[in-house]
Amino acid sequence: MRTAVSRKVSFSGTPIIVVPVIYLLLQLFAVSHAPASLSLDRRSDGWEYVQLSEGLRHGCGFARYVNGVCGSPEILRTPGYPLFLAMFSNWQWALVGQAFLCGGVCLASGMWVGSRWSREAGTAAQLLIAANVPSYVLNAMVLSETLFQTVLLAAVIATLGGAMQSRPKASAMRAIVSGALIGCLALIRPVAICLIPAGIVPFIFRRNISRRRKLALMCLSVAVPAGVVALWSIRNYRQGGLMGLSTVSSLELYLYRAGNVVAMKTGQPLWQVQKQLIDNVGAAHLMLYGNEVSATLASEMSRRAWHILLGHPFESAAVTAQAFVWLLIAPSRSLLARLLRTSGGGLAEAGLAQGRITPDSLLTITGEVLRSRLLTLFIIFQLLVTLTIWIGAARALLRLGETEGDMREWIVYPLTLTFLLLLAPSGPEAAVRFRSVTIPLLAITASMGYFRPDAAARAEAAISASGTMQNEAASV
């Protein structure tokens, strides 16, 4: 007979509801006061996403609509975010929609952690999410970060929310839904391909299901997102001869990752190296991020990039390590300064991820920031919040030995996804926006590190560990 512990979380009169509402209002304030030059920056990806959403509205299929003309089928960008934009009458309303997604993420995080761990942990997770300054900047821009973090959180909750489900059909459905959401993440940002193998993590250390059932769920959790990626890759092959999600991965691998290796080795500025690399493949006449890179050119860029990276393994490792460490702590600077309409932002958000770190580079960035007291205070606040989050995550990892049942997966799985998403873009393009999408997962984990699970959560985990195996055996 299946045993369960009934748990209820009272939200009335607690920050579980209050914090997300305040967070939503602050996001709406940031959206309404952000300058249009920031929200739809011609130097960012925003205009390309808007053109693709217009193409969807005007019957072009997945192609850009520019000056009343449909472009060629898109193989540079993926369709997830343009589809989201196409749901709104204009990009301004899309930013409002993003603000509500932020509020939903904050609410869902608090409710999930509050019901699975403790109400104190749920509130702490919400406060850490609301304190993430870069989210206010990124949400006020036509960028895919807000949508990405929303689907990412949904995928985690879909997996771990059903971790104690002993019924075979329910467990399989959770694996399918979570896998489909991971596949959708790859269609929002191709970097999410790195998350596909991580689908097996919640099942690796599970002892409360049979080996056969565990293997089947692991295969299902990987096969579903891989199938989504394969379907879009087939579409790209038929439309543009590219067997892959996007040509953007080849551009970034060649111009940024390999380019930064050359810049580190020669001491040249990255922009100068990139110009040389573009000339070397005969692409000086192309607008590289304008869907003008063919599958053949993308393949050639990838080949040359790997030749550079494998030919200089130590420099490649140094570039990745430097960018990864920067990504762990990077605050929003340039974009935040534009949102605050203050000086001190400088030109590059990437900061210390590019080139060699020297005393001069440190002094230059510090000098720029100190030009604005307001920006300096915001950066200090960001660093304190980031430190609080990483300390909490470390405390959660140290508690793995004393956690019970499925609680281990609640810590390990979000952190696994986080580090994969931080490691994948660890190059000169690394900026705070790549960490910002993982903040809900980090906040959840950190809150579990600062607060112990309540008695009901421990009892439920103990029941799962002892009783589900009997149910599984009975169903075989």
Side-chain angles (χ1 to χ4, degrees):
M1 189 168 102
R2 186 171 183 266
T3 307
V5 175
S6 176
R7 305 196 62 216
K8 293 182 180 180
V9 178
S10 175
F11 304 119
S12 177
T14 71
I16 293 288
I17 296 295
V18 174
V19 175
V21 171
I22 295 175
Y23 183 47
L24 169 61
L25 293 176
L26 290 175
Q27 289 286 3
L28 290 172
F29 178 81
V31 166
S32 63
H33 284 75
S37 60
L38 171 68
S39 296
L40 196 57
D41 189 346
R42 290 185 178 274
R43 293 172 293 180
S44 72
D45 306 334
W47 279 100
E48 298 167 14
Y49 288 131
V50 169
Q51 290 169 353
L52 288 167
S53 67
E54 288 296 318
L56 291 169
R57 291 197 195 98
H58 287 84
C60 301
F62 190 57
R64 305 185 191 198
Y65 186 76
V66 183
N67 297 325
V69 179
C70 294
S72 58
E74 183 79 11
I75 59 173
L76 175 69
R77 301 295 174 189
T78 44
Y81 190 59
L83 283 169
F84 172 79
L85 290 179
M87 296 169 56
F88 300 89
S89 57
N90 55 56
W91 60 267
Q92 289 91 342
W93 280 111
L95 298 185
V96 174
Q98 290 180 176
F100 278 90
L101 288 182
C102 286
V105 164
C106 188
L107 177 63
S109 299
M111 292 180 65
W112 185 75
V113 180
S115 62
R116 290 291 180 177
W117 198 265
S118 70
R119 191 172 65 181
E120 294 78 11
T123 301
Q126 291 182 330
L127 289 173
L128 290 173
I129 292 171
N132 180 38
V133 172
S135 73
Y136 297 95
V137 181
L138 296 169
N139 185 64
M141 301 177 67
V142 182
L143 289 175
S144 61
E145 272 65 25
T146 299
L147 179 63
F148 188 89
Q149 78 166 9
T150 303
V151 179
L152 177 62
L153 178 66
V156 171
I157 293 179
T159 301
L160 302 183
M164 295 183 186
Q165 292 283 354
S166 60
R167 292 174 295 175
K169 289 184 179 180
S171 299
M173 184 56 64
R174 295 274 184 174
I176 291 172
V177 172
S178 176
L181 290 171
I182 294 294
C184 290
L185 280 174
L187 297 184
I188 298 172
R189 284 174 54 185
V191 71
I193 291 178
C194 69
L195 302 183
I196 293 178
I200 68 174
V201 170
F203 307 105
I204 290 178
F205 303 107
R206 296 283 303 279
R207 297 180 180 179
N208 55 358
I209 58 176
S210 67
R211 291 182 180 179
R212 186 175 68 177
R213 186 73 192 160
K214 181 189 296 187
L215 181 61
L217 290 173
M218 290 169 66
C219 291
L220 191 61
S221 66
V222 172
V224 172
V228 174
V229 171
L231 287 174
W232 189 254
S233 297
I234 292 172
R235 176 265 179 194
N236 283 345
Y237 182 75
R238 290 180 174 177
Q239 297 288 340
L242 176 73
M243 195 59 187
L245 273 182
S246 167
T247 57
V248 74
S249 56
S250 298
L251 286 165
E252 293 182 350
L253 188 69
Y254 183 58
L255 297 179
Y256 287 93
R257 199 65 60 91
N260 206 33
V261 168
V262 176
M264 291 275 282
K265 192 169 180 63
T266 62
Q268 294 177 282
L270 178 60
W271 67 266
Q272 187 174 341
V273 173
Q274 289 177 331
K275 185 178 184 302
Q276 294 173 357
L277 293 177
I278 292 172
D279 290 339
N280 290 343
V281 293
H285 64 289
L286 296 179
M287 187 170 66
L288 296 180
Y289 286 88
N291 195 37
E292 294 184 22
V293 175
S294 65
T296 302
L297 180 56
S299 177
E300 177 63 15
M301 286 183 172
S302 294
R303 186 190 68 80
R304 290 178 180 240
W306 282 115
H307 178 75
I308 294 172
L309 295 173
L310 296 177
H312 304 88
F314 296 107
E315 290 84 355
S316 299
V319 164
T320 302
Q322 174 182 321
F324 180 73
V325 172
W326 170 248
L327 201 50
L328 295 180
I329 60 173
S332 181
R333 182 171 54 94
S334 299
L335 296 176
L336 177 60
R338 294 170 63 188
L339 178 64
L340 297 174
R341 292 180 169 87
T342 186
S343 60
L347 298 176
E349 188 78 356
L352 299 177
Q354 296 181 3
R356 297 173 180 172
I357 298 178
T358 64
D360 287 342
S361 64
L362 291 173
L363 288 173
T364 299
I365 292 179
T366 303
E368 288 176 352
V369 171
L370 292 177
R371 291 170 56 195
S372 169
R373 290 184 179 180
L374 180 62
L375 183 62
T376 301
L377 290 174
F378 267 98
I379 287 181
I380 292 173
F381 178 75
Q382 289 179 74
L383 293 176
L384 291 175
V385 171
T386 302
L387 180 63
T388 302
I389 287 175
W390 285 121
I391 291 175
R395 286 169 58 93
L397 283 174
L398 292 175
R399 282 185 177 172
L400 279 177
E402 61 185 69
T403 53
E404 303 177 40
D406 297 323
M407 290 180 175
R408 297 185 186 93
E409 284 70 45
W410 299 349
I411 295 172
V412 173
Y413 187 51
L415 284 180
T416 299
L417 299 184
T418 295
F419 280 106
L420 286 173
L421 286 172
L422 293 180
L423 187 60
S426 289
E429 73 276 18
V432 65
R433 67 191 185 100
F434 294 109
R435 189 184 73 245
S436 187
V437 298
T438 69
I439 288 298
L441 305 190
L442 284 171
I444 286 171
T445 308
S447 68
M448 293 178 178
Y450 284 115
F451 296 93
R452 294 184 179 275
D454 59 26
R458 291 194 298 269
E460 191 172 2
I463 289 172
S464 172
S466 62
T468 310
M469 189 62 168
Q470 299 176 6
N471 294 326
E472 190 69 28
S475 67
V476 175

